[in-house]
């Protein structure tokens, strides 16, 4: 069955299509996805995009109408074609990668391959594939099927052969697209021409019969895809069709009068690019539209992009969506994971302090007031006395919601009518802060307030306030109240912790010392026989009320004395802990840090705003709205590997992009002999906001991890000659990592020292030999021009003056920026001989010419990095 919108789309104009889709899509459960753009301003060779592909290493290849670009999330490199290749022959149509990591590129001039060593293009099968390559697909057995303007080819290993296309003979036909279907242990190649579809079974060695496009179904065929066992055909002017493999018939599916420009598959999702209606994701399981990308405002499941003319719609292996345009470059999603989603409230998103969830969200407390969300996803602010309350907790009890507020006491809402419930006895708290609300086993409601500990009986409407004058409450300001499974109450105040006995009396005598030592307790929670206490500073403590044992729950949260904002046990041995450094899930041995890369829109979390509903969803209030995630997603460990890319290297000069990419590909960085110091800028290949994604490195397997600063700069001092293994890893995300070999050759200065040592040893051996055998030293027989050397020696005052002149010339003229600078050129520039300049380096500078020049180049590189970061 086609999507439910099809019957309506047939007779309305395009602007109505977009409007209808916007109304159709459900408001709830939509992530506020942000888009980034990539154009010529960012380094693309051209803004007309024809192909996008992310390889197994995480590098994105972008095919344009004028060549191929490589993108690593920060930097764009233009892959050079041979100089004898005309510009019109560099039009990239498709990109694919085989199981060995070889990249193939289809162009207007034929089939090309990328040399990863030199990052250059190499023509493949030039004598066989002479026409434009329109599509590349790789089958399960590794066979590469190549659709060209003159037929279909199959490459397996090093063998290439042309396949028959038509049943009655004939192979030279313009193949516009191909789709592979693995069925009954064989590969079916659905081959598309402008006139229709052909089913090919390559194993049979025979062609197939044309299944022509109906005359009323568009001008010609453009795209074909197989999703969930179904065949979809895109047309120009006739929208998207489905094809019945058994009968050969076509049926209308979506967008009857639009041009389908792109048709790809991700799992059971169909990714559709159109000429007028943007891009969309359709689930082939239930034929529903799950996401759209148009230039309409972001609302519901629509994400706003710059243009509706989507020429390419591609979803990479990490779930990022890429939309390529003609003339406008690329838009791509900047959320690399859907672990966390943002519940859309208002624009801009308000700070959410609390929420109530019962299967689906119904009430949220924000800085803008209390909001109600009905079953249709419509958001309605409460009016009257609830319009401007600053709620910090929404506690369900019976048929009522109890709202804890700042400076406005407690408010009660009837769940059924959504109307306030009046209670005169609670008016005595109307100017107080209410921090927490809970209930005991007798269904009485307890509140921690600035006036003390409050007990409210819903049946009678009566209220009792415990304070320092009528009880043993340590302080009137009460922050936490919690009852364990034995019925004992635990009360935390500014002055300490007390226990509420079954008879209704408070005391501090029986509070365990371990709990007293925690000081001001921010949060309490009872699970089974354990009470969990979260202090203002430090790690949470689990106290067993049965045997009286206490255990500190320590986690690696980047601080020895963290400031917890909220804490929650997720299962028997894993916990969620939010601190000023981020959101962590784990235990004493393992942990994972969640941030922007996981979909969190903000790292500013509201204390005690975390709630887990009955459906296993975690809700968290942040400064950028309300976030939610499935607990099972937080506990999973099978995250896909992501690489950490080195995108800038400086040794004794700034490396070119080609040199950097070659080193990244080889996983080997070979330094020059002029300098052993190495400066690198790294970046995880995440293609999204990498804020709060900190990294660390170490040298050698037994090395110590060192945190990398926020500018992602690694500065390694002079390394010893030999091979050193560099380990890179994202903090709290071990799946984001890389390893590189740093090859450090002997520097020239070290070679000179070794040579001098060898000569010294040889001289010592020679002198000992002469003394043993009574031989005269050979140098006594030589005339030493010592007097001449002294006569020609530069006096210290003159050498200092010329050294100062050299330093001024280096600072003002910056000759070190010339990579071909020589000692002779430098001496001529300041008007002295190269011999004299060499003497100056020895007498005054105390170092070699190469070390002197390298110091200036390193300073310049560091200055440029600082400027670029600012």
């Amino acid at each position: 069955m086609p999507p439910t919108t099809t019957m309506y789309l047939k007779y309305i104009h395009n602007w109505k299509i977009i409007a209808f889709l916007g109304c159709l899509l459900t408001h709830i459960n939509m992530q506020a996805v942000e888009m980034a753009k990539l154009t010529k301003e960012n380094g693309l060779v051209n803004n007309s995009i024809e192909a996008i592909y992310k390889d197994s290493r995480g590098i994105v290849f972008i095919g344009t109408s004028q060549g191929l670009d490589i993108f690593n999330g920060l930097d764009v490199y233009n892959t050079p074609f041979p100089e004898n290749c005309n510009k019109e022959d560099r039009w990239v149509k498709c990109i694919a990668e085989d199981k060995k990591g070889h990249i193939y590129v289809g162009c207007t001039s034929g089939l090309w391959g990328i040399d990863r060593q030199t990052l250059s293009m190499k023509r493949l099968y030039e004598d066989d594939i002479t026409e434009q390559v329109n599509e590349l697909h790789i089958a399960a057995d590794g066979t590469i099927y190549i659709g060209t303007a003159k037929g279909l080819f199959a490459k397996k290993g090093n063998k290439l052969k042309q396949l028959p296309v038509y049943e009655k003979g004939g192979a030279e036909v313009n193949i516009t697209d191909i789709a592979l279907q693995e069925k009954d242990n064989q590969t079916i190649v659905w081959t598309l021409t402008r006139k229709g579809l052909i089913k090919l079974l390559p194993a049979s060695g025979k062609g197939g019969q044309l299944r022509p496009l109906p005359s009323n179904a568009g001008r010609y065929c453009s795209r074909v895809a197989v999703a969930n066992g179904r065949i979809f055909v895109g047309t120009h002017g006739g929208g998207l069709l489905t094809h019945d493999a058994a009968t050969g018939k076509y049926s209308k599916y979506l967008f009857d009068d639009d041009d389908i420009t792109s048709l790809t598959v991700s799992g059971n999702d169909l990714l559709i690019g159109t000429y007028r209606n943007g891009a969309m994701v359709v689930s082939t399981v239930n034929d529903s539209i799950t996401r759209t990308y148009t230039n309409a405002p972001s609302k519901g499941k629509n994400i706003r992009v710059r243009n509706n003319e989507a020429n390419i719609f591609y979803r990479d292996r990490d779930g990022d969506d890429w939309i390529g345009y003609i003339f406008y470059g690329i838009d791509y999603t900047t959320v690399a994971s859907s672990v966390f989603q943002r519940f859309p409230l208002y624009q801009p998103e308000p700070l959410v302090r609390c929420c109530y969830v019962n299967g689906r969200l119904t009430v949220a407390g924000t800085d803008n007031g209390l909001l109600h969300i009905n079953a249709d996803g419509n958001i309605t602010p409460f009016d009257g006395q609830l319009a401007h309350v600053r709620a910090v907790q929404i506690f369900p009890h019976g048929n009522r919601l109890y709202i804890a507020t700042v400076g406005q006491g407690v408010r009660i809402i009837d769940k059924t009518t959504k109307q306030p419930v009046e209670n005169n006895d609670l008016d005595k708290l109307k100017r107080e802060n209410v921090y927490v609300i809970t209930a005991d086993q007798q269904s009485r409601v307890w509140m921690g307030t600035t006036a003390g500990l409050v007990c409210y009986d819903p049946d009678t409407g009566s209220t009792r306030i415990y304070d320092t004058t009528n009880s043993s409450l340590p302080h009137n300001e009460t922050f936490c109240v919690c009852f364990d499974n034995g019925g004992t109450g635990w009360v935390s105040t500014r002055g300490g912790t007390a226990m509420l006995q079954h008879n209704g009396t408070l005391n501090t005598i029986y509070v365990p010392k371990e709990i007293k030592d925690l000081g001001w307790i921010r949060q309490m929670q009872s699970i089974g026989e354990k009470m969990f206490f979260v202090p203002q500073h430090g790690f949470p403590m689990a106290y067993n009320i049965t045997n009286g044992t206490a255990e500190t729950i320590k986690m690696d949260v980047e601080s020895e004395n963290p400031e917890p904002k909220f804490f929650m046990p997720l299962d028997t041995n894993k916990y969620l802990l939010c601190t000023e450094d981020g959101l962590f899930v784990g235990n004493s041995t393992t942990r994972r840090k969640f941030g922007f890369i996981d979909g969190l829109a903000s790292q500013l979390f509201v204390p005690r705003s975390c709630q887990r509903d009955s459906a296993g969803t975690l809700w968290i209030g942040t400064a950028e709205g309300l976030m939610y995630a499935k607990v099972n997603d937080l506990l999973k460990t099978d995250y896909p590997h992501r690489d950490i890319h080195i995108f800038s290297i400086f040794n004794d000069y700034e490396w070119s992009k080609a040199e950097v990419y070659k080193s990244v590909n080889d996983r080997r960085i070979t330094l020059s002999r002029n300098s052993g110091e190495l400066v690198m800028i790294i970046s995880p290949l995440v293609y999204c906001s990498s804020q709060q994604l900190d990294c660390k490195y170490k040298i050698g397997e037994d090395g110590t991890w060192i945190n990398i600063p926020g500018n992602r700069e690694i500065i390694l001092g002079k390394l010893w000659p030999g091979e050193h293994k560099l380990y890179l890893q994202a903090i709290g995300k071990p799946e984001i990592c890389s390893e590189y070999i740093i090859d450090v050759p002997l520097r020239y200065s070290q070679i000179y020292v070794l040579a001098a040592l060898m000569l010294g040893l040889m001289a010592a051996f020679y002198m000992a030999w002469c003394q043993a055998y009574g031989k005269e030293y050979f140098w006594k027989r030589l005339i030493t021009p010592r007097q001449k050397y002294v006569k020609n020696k530069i006096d210290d005052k003159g050498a200092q003056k010329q050294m100062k002149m050299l330093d001024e010339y280096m600072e003002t003229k910056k000759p070190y920026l010339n990579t071909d600078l020589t000692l002779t050129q430098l001496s001529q520039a300041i008007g002295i001989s190269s011999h004299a300049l060499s003497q100056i380096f020895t007498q005054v500078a105390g170092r070699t010419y190469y070390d002197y020049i390298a110091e200036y180049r390193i300073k310049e590189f560091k200055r440029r990095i600082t400027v670029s970061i600012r």
Side-chain angles (χ1 to χ4, degrees), residues 106-157:
C107 298
T108 48
S109 55
L111 184 64
W112 295 75
I114 297 178
D115 186 339
R116 287 190 181 266
Q117 294 296 318
T118 61
L119 284 180
S120 59
M121 304 292 291
K122 181 181 179 182
R123 184 71 183 273
L124 304 176
Y125 302 104
E126 188 172 359
D127 296 334
D128 300 297
I129 302 177
T130 60
E131 297 294 328
Q132 175 174 302
V133 174
N134 293 317
E135 195 57 58
L136 293 166
H137 277 281
I138 301 177
D141 63 356
T143 302
I144 304 175
Y145 291 95
I146 307 163
T148 77
K150 280 199 173 181
L152 181 67
F153 294 82
K155 176 185 178 298
K156 191 167 187 179

Side-chain angles (χ1 to χ4, degrees), residues 790 792-802 840 843-844:
V790 174
N792 293 336
K793 182 179 179 180
I794 303 174
D795 65 282
D796 290 340
K797 186 175 182 180
Q800 291 286 352
K801 182 178 180 181
Q802 290 176 333
I840 290 172
Q843 288 181 225
V844 180

Side-chain angles (χ1 to χ4, degrees), residues 694-710:
D694 299 319
C695 297
K696 58 185 179 180
Y697 77 93
K698 67 178 181 179
I699 302 295
E701 188 174 355
D702 299 327
T704 302
W705 286 107
I706 300 173
N707 290 346
I708 301 173

Side-chain angles (χ1 to χ4, degrees), residues 612-685:
R612 181 176 181 173
D613 66 18
S614 58
T617 301
L618 193 75
W619 300 81
I620 299 175
T622 75
E624 294 292 335
L626 185 63
M627 308 301 302
Y628 64 95
K630 292 292 184 182
V631 172
N632 288 339
D633 290 339
L634 297 176
L635 294 174
K636 74 176 185 179
T637 57
D638 56 338
Y639 290 92
H641 172 261
R642 290 173 183 261
D643 206 359
I644 296 181
H645 197 82
I646 298 174
F647 82 96
S648 185
I649 299 176
F650 187 90
N651 183 207
D652 58 340
Y653 68 95
E654 186 175 2
W655 289 23
S656 68
K657 291 182 180 180
E659 291 175 311
V660 173
Y661 270 99
K662 182 181 184 301
S663 294
V664 171
N665 178 69
D666 296 342
R667 291 294 191 267
R668 178 177 290 271
I669 303 169
T670 302
L671 307 188
S672 74
R673 294 188 184 276
N674 293 330
S675 174
E677 187 172 277
L678 177 63
V679 180
M680 297 175 291
I681 305 294
I682 62 101
S683 176
L685 291 178

